[in-house]
Amino acid sequence: MRGTAARPLASAVVRRSGGIDRVRILTTGPAASARETADLTDAELAEIYRYPADLADRAWLRVNFVSSVDGAAQGPDGRSGTISGRPDRHVLALLRALCDVILVGAGTARTERYGPATIRPAFVALREQLGLAPTPPIAVVSHSLDVPDRLLADPRTIVITSRSCSPERRTALESRVDVAIAGESEVDVAEAVAALAQRGYRRILSEGGPNLFAKLLAGSLVDEVCLTQSPELLAGPAMRITHGPLLAEPTRLTLASLLEEDGFVFQRWLTGSHRETPG
């Protein structure tokens, strides 16, 4: 990654006796080869995070979070931005450049002060090569229709709500943004994802929050989890990246890539049957 020196973590195999036959050691220390610790260009980084090539018949839902080493998904001010850093912001900018749409819960949109998405100049050509619009729209999940005014200033914003939402508020919003109905008494996240796919938004990037992530997991809708581990310990009562009822069955993950820069560790995990890297 230009300017941020993202490096793949070197791997080695150690054989042990006594029950564990193969242990992978991940390191960026002296034992790593020069190529393994070389800086990645933005093009190489984009290749690592690319979406599957053929999404004609389905959407691909990628979730992205940052958390501290002890699992806090937010800093003392309740925002994820305070546990982020320059390398994490660079990867987030790339993930936004690769997606068709950004999916977020209304609570997170308010807390994190969301506005219309922008694309870093370094990634403008990448979006053009992929045939994507100059910027991705924001899709906000909200039963109450309490959406930040900054998002309502963009007519491409999609507000995903339930059929039982306030009809007056819904009518007012429909004159300003795209309103999608998903579910009856509350937002059905499976219908929400389907609504985005029907609009041609198949490369979906969800940026949270923890409640929405838990619902997406419960619905077996998540294909990929991108997690940045921030080199901090916070303690305290902060939320984890998921917050909701215990899943009936744990979601088994497969590690797809592991990168490090300036202490930030970038993990990319695939879920369910996605055992191979997309592409």
Side-chain angles (χ1 to χ4, degrees):
M1 178 169 25
R2 293 191 196 98
T4 52
R7 298 165 301 200
L9 296 181
S11 65
V13 175
V14 175
R15 296 189 178 277
R16 290 184 180 176
S17 59
I20 300 179
D21 295 323
R22 295 171 66 86
V23 178
R24 294 184 66 211
I25 297 178
L26 302 175
T27 178
T28 55
S33 73
R35 181 63 192 115
E36 284 172 329
T37 59
D39 294 0
L40 294 174
T41 66
D42 284 340
E44 290 171 326
L45 196 65
E47 181 66 14
I48 290 172
Y49 284 100
R50 73 192 185 278
Y51 281 84
D54 184 10
L55 292 176
D57 299 322
R58 59 155 299 175
W60 183 275
L61 179 59
R62 165 182 284 164
V63 175
N64 183 61
F65 273 92
V66 60
S67 77
S68 66
V69 172
D70 55 344
Q74 52 195 197
D77 61 353
R79 301 176 63 200
S80 65
T82 52
I83 58 173
S84 182
R86 177 175 54 84
D88 178 54
R89 289 190 291 270
H90 190 90
V91 170
L92 174 60
L94 171 67
L95 297 186
R96 285 187 162 202
L98 292 171
C99 75
D100 292 325
V101 64
I102 298 167
L103 178 65
V104 64
T108 295
R110 292 190 298 269
T111 300
E112 302 287 348
R113 304 168 190 170
Y114 269 61
T118 58
I119 297 299
R120 288 191 178 187
F123 298 132
V124 169
L126 175 62
R127 282 190 71 82
E128 292 176 349
Q129 293 168 7
L130 293 172
L132 303 176
T135 58
I138 306 289
V140 187
V141 176
S142 177
H143 170 74
S144 67
L145 301 179
D146 183 8
V147 179
D149 288 340
R150 291 180 64 197
L151 289 176
L152 299 180
D154 183 351
R156 298 179 313 136
T157 293
I158 304 163
V159 177
I160 306 175
T161 191
S162 59
R163 198 170 304 280
S164 62
C165 68
S166 165
E168 295 81 9
R169 181 65 174 155
R170 173 182 167 185
T171 299
L173 287 181
E174 285 175 333
S175 65
R176 304 177 65 182
V177 297
D178 181 8
V179 177
I181 302 299
E184 296 298 327
S185 60
E186 61 180 25
V187 176
D188 183 307
V189 290
E191 291 185 23
V193 171
L196 294 177
Q198 289 166 5
R199 285 164 168 76
Y201 302 127
R202 300 186 183 277
R203 288 177 271 208
I204 302 172
L205 172 64
S206 176
E207 296 179 355
N211 288 287
L212 177 59
F213 186 16
K215 290 178 181 178
L216 292 169
L217 278 177
S220 299
L221 298 168
V222 178
D223 297 292
E224 183 178 344
V225 180
C226 294
L227 175 64
T228 301
Q229 188 176 76
S230 174
E232 297 177 331
L233 293 169
L234 298 178
M239 228 180 245
R240 297 183 300 163
I241 64 173
T242 57
H243 184 74
L246 189 67
L247 297 175
E249 293 288 339
T251 299
R252 178 70 180 179
L253 302 175
T254 299
L255 184 63
S257 66
L258 194 61
L259 305 171
E260 181 273 344
E261 160 55 22
D262 197 24
F264 288 85
V265 179
F266 300 92
Q267 308 165 37
R268 190 168 65 88
W269 300 88
L270 303 181
T271 67
S273 61
H274 305 298
R275 298 306 186 196
E276 301 296 332
T277 302

